[in-house]
Structures are given as C-alpha cells and as structure tokens.
Amino acid sequence: MLRRLFNSSDNTLTLDPLVAVDRMLRATRANERGDEVLRALKALLPGDVRGYVVRGDDSNGYRFDAQTGYSAQLLELTPGHGPWRSPGPRLVANNIAEMFTPNEQALRAQYADLGLRDANSTMVVPVAGRFASYGTLVLHRHGPPAFGEDELKQVARWGSVLGETQAKESELGR
C-alpha cells in the first residue's frame, strides 16, 4: 500500500519509497525524520531540489527544523515571514513576494546569502497528521522545470506521512 501511495506515474525512480519511509520511522528525533523525508524528496524529484521543514505556527512561533541542499546555517535563523505561514498545499506563485518583501533587510540578506532567493519554483505542503499540525515542508527548485501539480500531490503525501509520524511521536513524549 505504501508503495502505491508514494509511486508516481514515472517508473524511473532511483529511490525505493519503502526504504525512505523505513529510515524516517527509525529516526529518533523530529528533525532527523524531517531530514529523511527531505532527502527522499530530493532524490525522487528531478532537477536541483532543495528544501526545509519549518516547525510551529503563528501563535507559538516558527523555527527551521530540518534542511537539505542549503547550508546548516539556515537552521540557526529564526524564520520571519515566508510561504510557511499559509501552507497550502500549494505552488507558490511568487517566492520573492512571500519570503523576501515582508522581511527586514538583514533577514532578506541572510536568506539570499544561503541561496533561497535563487529558487525558480517553490511548493509548500503542511506537515500535519489527522489531529495535530507540526509545521510546513517547503521545497525550492533551482532551475527548470517548474514544480507541477502532480509533484505537489506526491510531496503532500510525504508531508502527511511525516505529520502523522511527528504527531504520534509527540503524543508518546519522544
């Protein structure tokens, strides 16, 4: 069932989704589970795909929890305004308007130094289980092709599985 859930119509996948899910489930910390999902998505999606998980919400605040393709310095920043504030799932029409324009100059410069401004295409999916929200998964593609609706659906499935796992681990106090 998981194989059918994660496989796309493209049979040229280089990563077995079951192996990726197993690695995610074996991870003991929330950020490690996010790292596993991000690595799986980077391997599954074509092009130069980079991304991160933002944990939190407007009332409790946000923090970068996991990343792939960017510098680990991203995890040290406090997220300001960005596409994670209205998670979707959705394709982001204008990453600059959502991530750079509303933030202070210093944070915009830090994001730009890390390469986030160079993204050509952005998608956002919630990381949420049935009963709890964990945060948001944000993927950027640097270069062509732009993300499409089929990729958004595939990533949304990964966000749901990660969200269920994070919520269950949180309930267990891990």
Side-chain angles (χ1 to χ4, degrees), residues 3-146:
R3 190 179 308 274
R4 188 176 53 217
L5 176 68
F6 287 112
N7 276 343
S8 68
S9 58
D10 179 6
N11 292 325
T12 62
L13 297 176
T14 58
L15 176 77
D16 183 342
L18 296 178
V19 172
V21 169
D22 182 59
R23 284 196 311 251
M24 180 200 62
L25 293 173
R26 290 178 187 270
T28 58
R29 295 179 33 216
N31 64 319
E32 293 170 347
R33 291 186 289 275
D35 283 338
E36 289 297 337
V37 167
L38 288 167
R39 279 194 288 273
L41 290 169
K42 185 173 176 65
L44 289 170
L45 299 171
D48 180 5
V49 175
R50 307 173 198 179
Y52 45 89
V53 174
V54 177
R55 182 178 190 170
D57 56 37
D58 285 338
S59 59
N60 296 315
Y62 294 94
R63 72 180 182 125
F64 290 106
D65 198 45
Q67 68 82 31
T68 190
Y70 292 112
S71 167
Q73 292 174 339
L74 178 65
L75 302 176
E76 298 169 11
L77 298 179
T78 300
H81 294 279
W84 49 84
R85 289 187 178 255
S86 54
R90 65 192 174 94
L91 299 172
V92 176
N94 187 341
N95 186 49
I96 301 298
E98 288 197 39
M99 190 158 188
F100 288 87
T101 305
N103 286 307
E104 294 180 15
Q105 175 60 34
L107 187 56
R108 289 195 311 255
Q110 289 174 313
Y111 287 163
D113 289 346
L114 292 171
L116 277 72
R117 189 176 182 90
D118 301 328
N120 298 90
S121 183
T122 301
M123 78 167 76
V124 178
V125 301
V127 176
R130 287 172 290 185
F131 304 110
S133 179
Y134 178 81
T136 308
L137 174 68
V138 180
L139 293 179
H140 299 288
R141 184 171 280 143
H142 294 252

Side-chain angles (χ1 to χ4, degrees), residues 147-164:
F147 287 123
E149 290 294 328
D150 287 340
E151 290 172 315
L152 180 64
K153 290 175 188 173
Q154 184 179 24
V155 172
R157 290 188 295 261
W158 281 93
S160 294
V161 169
L162 178 58
E164 281 294 325

